[in-house]
Amino acid sequence: MTSSYHSMLQRRPRLLAVSAALSLAATAALSAATTATATDGGAPAAKAAAAAPVGLNAPYLYLGWGSPQSATSVMSATGVKQFTMAFILSDGGCNPKWDGNRALTGGNDQSTINAIRAAGGDVTVSIGGWSGNKLGEKCSSATALAGAYQKTIDALKLKSIDIDIEDTEFTNATVRERVVDALKIVKTNNPGVAVYVTFGTTRTGPDATGLDLIKRGANNKLDIEGWAVMPFDFDEGTIDMVAATKGAVDGLKNAVASAYGLSSDAAYRKVGFSSMNGKSDVPGETVSVANFKSMVSYATSKHLSRVSFWAVNRDRSCGGGTTDAGADCSGVSQSALDFTKALAAYTG
């Protein structure tokens, strides 16, 4: 069984530093120039490091599930600057709404996004998921689906979207093609908007359906920022989740390299993963804090385009000594927000 964002749990639910030797004279000149700009209202003496691409290290935050933690409090406690906000679904037709029933603007979802941005962060919005009505199925054409995606982008002023394609939206070949064609329109009209496509996987990479999705993207010359897999819910009992994640991503890399004609290094930079922190929906699958840190180290060695996890809602231990994971806790031994802190350190 390939992994998915579902049940839990009723689940819905580069920087390259460059150094150069300076002569003493050049160093003095630089010092003088820095002093001048610091005192004459010019540019700051030292520029802050460029922000990570939106979507690179954005854990999922779902306001429609459990008791979600305050986004700005999480930012202050962890240093994380991004979140993946979930989920945009169909309202029954080809019209996007939060969870299919909350307006795109004017509610708690938008106020949370506004607060994140005011605190110096940003969001990727996830469209799809396991449950509910999917836009890919409810919109009758690629043009109409692209319009629904565009409405979401425009309403929320997005720089990044995550197409979380699951269940029947994923397994239907006609719908897969519609999603790919719609994303090609979106990328053509919004070249500055990052697009990620997230779907389930086996322990060795995408199954036949996932491979078909990638091939359709390549055939359509769809150039997105990242193809990402969800390496959990394998239904194979107790397994090494770090090894399973590496195997799934390596397989994804191979599929992207083959479909797009990329080198191994270039393909790694076009793929990523979204783990589940703590216990997954399936007995025997557990991602500890140490496991997740190992996954982040692996991502760093390969320069993956996206690393995430489901979800900030669960990034805390369960109260009363219980190990029963759910919407509000991970089911593993951890301090508050350990997983988010590990992800915040990921810079690609």
Side-chain angles (χ1 to χ4, degrees):
M1 174 183 174
T2 57
S3 57
S4 58
Y5 279 154
H6 68 292
S7 60
M8 199 117 179
L9 323 177
Q10 188 243 319
R11 173 56 118 190
R12 342 285 210 212
R14 302 165 203 261
L15 296 175
L16 179 63
V18 180
S19 62
L22 298 175
S23 66
L24 291 176
T27 302
L30 177 61
S31 175
T34 300
T35 301
T37 55
T39 57
D40 66 4
K47 293 183 178 179
V54 181
L56 176 73
N57 56 359
Y60 283 81
L61 175 64
Y62 183 25
L63 300 187
W65 184 54
S67 303
Q69 307 193 60
S70 161
T72 51
S73 294
V74 171
M75 293 173 73
S76 297
T78 67
V80 75
K81 294 294 185 182
Q82 327 179 358
F83 297 92
T84 302
M85 298 281 291
F87 291 100
I88 297 294
L89 292 167
S90 154
D91 67 352
C94 189
N95 188 51
K97 287 187 177 180
W98 291 104
D99 274 347
N101 56 46
R102 302 192 302 277
L104 290 177
T105 59
N108 187 40
D109 304 277
Q110 185 187 34
S111 63
T112 297
I113 292 173
N114 292 346
I116 291 169
R117 287 173 173 161
D122 211 340
V123 301
T124 296
V125 165
S126 189
I127 302 172
W130 180 265
S131 303
N133 293 317
K134 315 300 194 314
L135 288 167
E137 294 176 292
K138 294 298 182 178
C139 297
S140 60
S141 68
T143 300
L145 180 57
Y149 291 159
Q150 190 67 56
K151 182 175 181 180
T152 305
I153 291 168
D154 292 344
L156 299 171
K157 299 178 175 57
L158 300 176
K159 297 177 183 176
S160 173
I161 58 174
D162 164 44
I163 306 302
D164 185 356
I165 181 169
E166 300 192 46
D167 196 25
T168 51
E169 190 178 33
F170 181 60
T171 57
N172 186 308
T174 298
V175 177
R176 289 198 300 275
E177 183 63 36
R178 186 180 299 150
V179 169
V180 166
D181 292 345
L183 289 178
K184 182 61 181 292
I185 295 171
V186 169
K187 285 298 288 183
T188 299
N189 294 336
N190 308 267
V193 172
V195 172
Y196 302 92
V197 176
T198 302
F199 53 97
T201 185
T202 73
R203 287 200 288 162
T204 56
D207 63 8
T209 303
L211 293 174
D212 177 77
L213 178 65
I214 294 167
K215 289 176 181 176
R216 288 175 187 272
N219 291 340
N220 206 354
K221 295 181 172 57
L222 174 63
D223 185 14
I224 62 175
E225 279 61 34
W227 300 90
V229 288
M230 296 177 286
F232 52 83
D233 287 2
F234 298 110
D235 275 348
E236 295 183 25
T238 301
I239 61 174
D240 181 335
M241 293 298 282
V242 176
T245 297
K246 291 179 180 179
V249 174
D250 287 347
L252 175 62
K253 177 270 298 184
N254 291 338
V256 170
S258 175
Y260 282 86
L262 299 175
S263 68
S264 183
D265 178 69
Y268 271 122
R269 296 169 188 264
K270 284 287 189 179
V271 304
F273 68 89
S274 182
S275 185
M276 179 178 277
N277 54 317
K279 293 184 176 181
S280 81
D281 307 303
V282 176
E285 293 185 3
T286 300
V287 177
S288 67
V289 174
N291 290 157
F292 189 66
K293 288 180 178 178
S294 293
M295 293 174 186
V296 171
S297 294
Y298 162 77
T300 299
S301 72
K302 303 299 184 182
H303 307 291
L304 302 187
S305 65
R306 175 168 165 82
V307 180
S308 185
F309 69 85
W310 178 270
V312 172
N313 303 53
R314 309 176 63 235
D315 196 3
R316 47 195 166 189
S317 61
C318 299
T322 179
T323 58
D324 293 330
D328 298 328
C329 62
S330 65
V332 299
S333 176
Q334 67 161 103
S335 295
L337 301 172
D338 274 347
F339 289 89
T340 304
K341 290 175 183 176
L343 184 55
Y346 182 63
T347 61

